[in-house]
Amino acid sequence: MIAAAPLAYLGRQTLALLALTGQVSLFTAQGLSHIFRPPFYGREFLVALLQIGWLSLPVVGLTAFFTGGALALQIYDGSTRFSAEAVVPQIVAIGMVRELGPVLGGLMIAARVTSSIAAEIATMKVTEQIDALVTLSTHPMKYLTAPRVLAALLVVPALVGVGDVIGVFGGFIVSTQQLGFNPSTYIHNTVDFLEVRDVLSSLAKGCAFGGIAATMGCYFGMNSGRGAQGVGQATKGSVQAAAVLILAANFLLTSLFFGT
Amino acid sequence: MITLRDVHKAFGANKVLRGVDLEVPRGSSMVIIGGSGSGKSVALKCVLGLVPPDAGQILVDGKDATRGDRDAFLARFGMLFQGGALFDSLPVWQNVAFRLLRGSLKRPRDEAREIAVEKLRRVGLSPDVADLFPSELSGGMQKRVGLARAIAAEPEIIFFDEPTTGLDPIMAGVINDLIREIVTEMGATAMTITHDMTSVRAIADNVAMLYDGVIKWTGPVAEMDNSGDPYLDQFIHGRADGPIAAVR
Ligand SMILES: Nc1ncnc2c1ncn2[C@@H]1O[C@H](COP(=O)(O)OP(=O)(O)O)[C@@H](O)[C@H]1O
Ligand SMILES: [Mg+2]
């Protein structure tokens, strides 16, 4: 009996995880399907666009800028004196555009957007606002989930793109101001080295991560428990799930784009 | 007409409704009384389909409420939630006019606003309140905005969950009169939950008492005082001792 207890625990956890996966997949499919079926709520969509895109710009931009700068310093330190001027711009560009831009941008979105969506919707659930929506003949998935998920799918790639540029710019600033590189050579090396595939992969990741971030916020919010504790749990769970899923999706997309 | 037949609902081990039977004739006002936590709100939510009942039947005009076109079904309803349940991202008038700003009942924006202001006036709120946000209002004011929202689209069936809780006696009187008016003038069917016995006498055609998951007593309001039912007697007179335990 006692020896079997950890095994039973493991089994229960596995089953719970599988059930959760199923529910989340179902929820995602529903959320996506509501994007394409009327009625559409334009005002909610615009508000979500503003909240997710515009207001996240400072955080994503700063993250990218400092990361690009740090990356340049690291590579400079690790490369030989003579090859540095060619290698630093190339690796900063590749590193930012392929991996760090989308991943760090996605994680910042999870911290900022997922948490706020989850807390807002969970509070609506706890205060019966979701029930009120239903009695007012408004589908919560359409009114709350669809506009947020659509906005994130559209605006997070743009955000990641801007982040990539700012990240490269961070590397440029550090290299030219601190390491004494020639500015035009730096830009030349960056542009020459980047491929269309790099940029496309970055935007595709942005799209996927945005979708994950918004969907997790909505899912955990809608399924919140009761009371303030329920809201806290929902928020925590949503950020955790979004972050892990973003990293997993990043691995998948990287192997899809660049795996041999 | 609303009919509940042997409705059961449990949350885990907590058996809240254990076979509720109730009939509310069309155009009448039913008041549900019962101790707090006895499942009154859950019963209303079962009728609306917000909480799925575990067993039993709920019929509205003879048709199963849980099947068929949900949108058409809900378009006939108005509901005041116990906590108000106002959307805090929207100003007061957009809360009241929510139904009139979208969906099948959509009107031009300024017309919707006019209706909202008129409904606010009927629940004793001045037009200045229209542009405030729910978080800027007191609990009693939020309740009245919720009430205005419930009646905004002039529904046929209206549920009021504790409409006068948190209001001063004068405002409670205004709301009681309003509910009575909606039933007699607009011919609406109303179900009201309340603990306030003055309200019960002002609003009700019929009274039902929910206790221990079932309807313990139901009948016309005039018969409430000499029902001979010890549970009902204890409740309406607010006695600490009697068959209903004070600790629940
Ligand atoms: N969504 C829910 N989940 C779990 N328990 C609930 C839920 N809604 C109500 N309950 C429980 O059902 C019981 C009756 O609640 P309610 O109908 O709100 O009482 P009241 O008669 O005061 O309106 C309470 O014990 C409450 O805790
Ligand atoms: Mg209640």
Side-chain angles (χ1 to χ4, degrees):
Chain A
M1 247 349 247
I2 290 172
L7 214 62
Y9 174 80
L10 210 67
R12 263 198 303 277
Q13 293 293 311
T14 313
L15 283 179
L17 191 68
L18 284 176
L20 182 70
T21 312
Q23 279 161 15
V24 169
S25 313
L26 203 66
F27 183 89
T28 309
Q30 274 176 6
L32 290 176
S33 82
H34 281 295
I35 291 177
F36 300 103
R37 284 182 292 150
F40 305 111
Y41 296 105
R43 210 190 76 98
E44 279 60 41
F45 171 69
L46 291 179
V47 171
L49 217 52
L50 187 79
Q51 285 281 345
I52 299 172
W54 183 247
L55 298 179
S56 300
L57 204 50
V59 141
V60 171
L62 284 172
T63 309
F65 183 83
F66 289 124
T67 308
L71 197 57
L73 288 179
Q74 287 283 12
I75 300 157
Y76 181 76
D77 187 58
S79 60
T80 59
R81 199 74 197 81
F82 299 103
S83 60
E85 263 197 90
V87 170
V88 169
Q90 290 172 0
I91 299 192
V92 167
I94 288 272
M96 280 316 296
V97 173
R98 282 189 181 186
E99 287 294 323
L100 293 172
V103 168
L104 292 178
L107 291 177
M108 292 319 270
I109 293 291
R112 198 186 168 278
V113 173
T114 307
S115 60
S116 88
I117 291 178
E120 185 184 355
I121 295 183
T123 306
M124 289 184 75
K125 162 119 188 195
V126 167
T127 55
E128 298 181 314
Q129 291 179 52
I130 305 269
D131 284 346
L133 270 183
V134 174
T135 63
L136 293 166
S137 310
T138 304
H139 201 307
M141 287 293 277
K142 276 194 197 309
Y143 184 76
L144 298 172
T145 306
R148 286 171 171 79
V149 172
L150 180 63
L153 284 173
L154 293 177
V155 85
V156 175
L159 214 53
V160 165
V162 173
D164 291 348
V165 173
I166 294 177
V168 170
F169 179 69
F172 171 82
I173 291 288
V174 167
S175 303
T176 53
Q177 303 302 308
Q178 200 175 330
L179 308 177
F181 287 15
N182 180 307
S184 69
T185 319
Y186 191 98
I187 292 172
H188 196 80
N189 274 335
T190 303
V191 174
D192 269 3
F193 197 72
L194 272 183
E195 288 174 30
V196 175
R197 190 175 60 151
D198 300 326
V199 178
L200 281 184
S201 79
S202 198
L203 300 183
K205 284 180 176 182
C207 192
F209 301 169
I212 290 172
T215 308
M216 286 305 110
C218 293
Y219 174 80
F220 280 86
M222 295 271 190
N223 292 288
S224 157
R226 306 171 88 201
Q229 216 167 18
V231 178
Q233 295 280 2
T235 311
K236 183 185 73 183
S238 72
V239 176
Q240 253 172 19
V244 171
L245 283 177
I246 282 173
L247 294 172
N250 179 59
F251 175 74
L252 266 176
L253 285 168
T254 298
S255 41
L256 212 70
F257 272 93
F258 306 104
T260 45
Chain B
M1 173 139 114
I2 302 168
T3 312
L4 282 84
R5 273 197 210 132
D6 197 28
V7 172
H8 289 254
K9 178 69 198 177
F11 295 101
N14 182 10
K15 293 198 182 100
V16 181
L17 304 180
R18 308 170 182 216
V20 171
D21 288 296
L22 190 64
E23 244 174 47
V24 186
R26 179 189 272 268
S28 75
S29 168
M30 168 67 80
V31 169
I32 301 176
I33 57 176
S36 54
S38 58
K40 305 181 297 295
S41 300
V42 169
L44 285 195
K45 286 183 182 174
C46 282
V47 177
L48 284 168
L50 295 172
V51 170
D54 299 334
Q57 254 190 325
I58 295 168
L59 306 172
V60 175
D61 292 337
K63 274 182 259 156
D64 193 329
T66 52
R67 293 202 201 109
D69 184 355
R70 292 289 298 159
D71 279 352
F73 175 79
L74 287 168
R76 303 171 59 197
F77 277 87
M79 164 96 186
L80 164 65
F81 284 86
Q82 189 168 353
L86 301 178
F87 305 123
D88 35 33
S89 59
L90 299 176
V92 164
W93 80 268
Q94 288 185 24
N95 264 282
V96 176
F98 194 88
R99 246 186 208 291
L100 309 173
L101 290 169
R102 60 207 97 218
S104 53
L105 299 171
K106 188 167 176 166
R107 322 249 169 121
R109 214 172 155 81
D110 42 349
E111 197 184 315
R113 190 188 160 101
E114 247 169 62
I115 296 174
V117 170
E118 157 63 18
K119 298 295 175 192
L120 286 172
R121 196 191 53 72
R122 291 197 71 185
V123 297
L125 291 169
S126 75
D128 317 337
V129 174
D131 290 305
L132 299 178
F133 279 86
S135 58
E136 296 172 283
L137 307 180
S138 75
M141 289 165 91
Q142 289 182 10
K143 204 63 174 261
R144 285 184 281 154
V145 174
L147 188 60
R149 182 174 70 184
I151 63 173
E154 312 200 336
E156 297 164 48
I157 304 165
I158 318 189
F159 292 171
F160 302 103
D161 197 341
E162 304 196 8
T164 56
T165 305
L167 302 186
D168 64 71
I170 297 169
M171 218 19 100
V174 169
I175 298 302
N176 289 338
D177 290 351
L178 176 68
I179 293 175
R180 195 60 247 181
E181 211 177 297
I182 288 167
V183 174
T184 42
E185 278 174 27
M186 289 162 44
T189 308
M191 279 175 91
T192 310
I193 295 172
T194 187
H195 296 291
D196 175 357
M197 293 317 292
T198 321
S199 259
V200 177
R201 290 173 207 285
I203 298 172
D205 293 322
N206 297 296
V207 178
M209 181 175 171
L210 188 60
Y211 176 74
D212 214 14
V214 296
I215 300 293
K216 198 81 189 161
W217 185 86
T218 182
V221 65
E223 290 172 18
M224 187 173 70
D225 288 311
N226 32 34
S227 65
D229 185 300
Y231 291 88
L232 183 66
D233 271 345
Q234 187 194 349
F235 193 86
I236 61 180
H237 295 115
R239 292 193 206 101
D241 40 40
I244 304 174
V247 180
R248 273 168 272 151

